[in-house]
Amino acid sequence: MEREMTHLKLTKYQQGQIIAYYDSGLTQTAISKKIGCSQSAISRFLNKNKQDEVYNIKTIRGRKRKLSQRDERHILINMKKRRLNTAKQIKKDNNLGVCVQTVRNIFHRYGFRSHLQVRTPFISKKNQVLRLKWAKIHVGWTANMWRTVLFSDESPYTLRYSNKRKIWRLNSERFHKMCLKATVKHDQKIMVWGCFASNGVGQLYQVDGIMKKEQYKKILEDYMQPSSEKLFGEKIILFSMIMIQNILQR
């Protein structure tokens, strides 16, 4: 008899009874006795009902999207070509029938955030090649070899604020070429010469006007040599003196 009841189709009334009894805390065995059908039929119905509930929740949740995935990919492609454009400009250029925040949400969904461009000194193509060549030559140097080097350079300090701009980029694109802002040395500034090594810093010198040969020789004699003596000692001083003499003889 129970096998025959297993194959019977549950009526709407029986389905309602099963759900009500199950929600009240009754076991499947107790429900089977109450409504007169097999436990296996009740088990199949409850499992199917759970799956349907989960499926329905997933399909009806939220408002229908105005932009398809293809539309979003098209917006992303345009943004990657014009990184400086704001979300408002991108919306206008693509004639999108959505709000500006929706455009921002698309970028956020794919990992893009608006960041200030990283400032980096302008380097010509020629100097880029030379610097890369120098780096490859010294890539095998050990830490002890670098400890014998005295680094020196001149650096300008601008005397006024420089405007900053934001750009859309991934976190991993911080130093990507399209995300950098090249700076040009044209603002009012002072020039300072300095040097340092692994064990400390040397003296500073404010450059007077444009750096010329005579002024650079004076820096080497009066500032670099004392800094070398302070940081390294006599052995490096001897090397520094030879280098200075070679420069002075040019």
Side-chain angles (χ1 to χ4, degrees):
M1 180 67 180
E2 184 178 349
R3 182 177 298 175
E4 294 178 358
M5 291 171 63
T6 301
H7 298 285
L8 293 176
K9 186 176 180 180
L10 296 172
T11 64
K12 293 291 184 182
Y13 179 72
Q14 288 176 318
Q15 293 176 6
Q17 283 184 307
I18 293 172
I19 294 173
Y21 285 138
Y22 186 75
D23 290 342
S24 65
L26 291 180
T27 63
Q28 295 182 14
T29 303
I31 297 172
S32 173
K33 292 178 180 179
K34 279 187 172 291
I35 66 174
C37 69
S38 66
Q39 182 180 344
S40 59
I42 295 172
S43 178
R44 283 197 302 273
F45 170 74
L46 289 174
N47 290 334
K48 185 178 183 303
N49 190 59
K50 282 183 180 180
Q51 293 174 358
D52 290 344
E53 284 181 354
V54 172
Y55 175 79
N56 291 334
I57 290 172
K58 287 184 178 179
T59 55
I60 64 174
R61 181 180 295 167
R63 186 169 48 179
K64 185 178 178 180
R65 297 172 63 176
K66 290 187 176 181
L67 298 174
S68 64
Q69 290 186 348
R70 183 178 180 182
D71 294 332
E72 291 185 1
R73 287 195 298 270
H74 179 70
I75 295 170
L76 284 172
I77 291 171
N78 287 338
M79 180 270 288
K80 290 178 180 179
K81 292 179 180 178
R82 302 174 183 84
R83 297 292 186 108
L84 290 174
N85 283 2
T86 64
K88 186 176 181 180
Q89 289 173 319
I90 292 171
K91 171 184 177 296
K92 182 179 179 181
D93 293 343
N94 292 274
N95 195 24
L96 301 174
V98 295
C99 65
V100 176
Q101 187 58 45
T102 299
V103 178
R104 294 194 189 99
N105 291 341
I106 293 172
F107 298 154
H108 296 168
R109 194 177 303 124
Y110 287 88
F112 287 90
R113 293 291 188 276
S114 181
H115 299 273
L116 290 173
Q117 286 180 290
V118 177
R119 296 175 65 88
T120 179
F122 175 78
I123 304 174
S124 65
K125 292 288 184 181
K126 179 182 177 180
N127 285 337
Q128 289 179 24
V129 174
L130 293 174
R131 289 191 178 198
L132 180 60
K133 182 180 178 181
W134 186 92
K136 289 180 177 179
I137 292 173
H138 295 84
V139 68
W141 274 35
T142 63
N144 287 333
M145 295 170 71
W146 286 112
R147 290 191 184 101
T148 64
V149 178
L150 178 68
F151 298 92
S152 68
D153 196 11
E154 306 86 42
S155 179
Y157 291 86
T158 56
L159 302 179
R160 66 175 182 143
Y161 174 77
S162 180
N163 292 333
K164 298 180 180 180
R165 298 184 67 181
K166 288 192 173 183
I167 189 171
W168 293 104
R169 66 167 174 83
L170 296 169
N171 286 335
S172 59
E173 294 181 324
R174 176 179 171 83
F175 296 105
H176 192 280
K177 185 177 180 180
M178 296 179 63
C179 302
L180 297 176
K181 179 181 180 181
T183 58
V184 181
K185 301 177 182 179
H186 63 276
D187 286 337
Q188 185 181 2
K189 58 186 178 295
I190 59 173
M191 184 75 73
V192 176
W193 178 94
C195 62
F196 69 94
S198 63
N199 57 339
V201 296
Q203 298 184 29
L204 284 176
Y205 173 79
Q206 183 176 338
V207 178
D208 184 15
I210 299 174
M211 175 78 79
K212 294 183 179 180
K213 181 176 66 174
E214 293 76 18
Q215 188 174 189
Y216 188 61
K217 289 179 180 179
K218 178 178 175 59
I219 291 173
L220 296 180
E221 291 177 330
D222 298 343
Y223 293 90
M224 193 192 78
Q225 178 60 31
S227 298
S228 177
E229 182 179 355
K230 170 189 172 184
L231 296 171
F232 297 110
E234 294 181 359
K235 184 178 180 180
I236 307 299
I237 292 173
L238 178 62
F239 173 76
S240 301
M241 288 299 297
I242 294 172
M243 184 177 66
I244 291 172
Q245 289 173 3
N246 291 335
I247 294 173
L248 293 176
Q249 290 173 1
R250 293 178 184 176

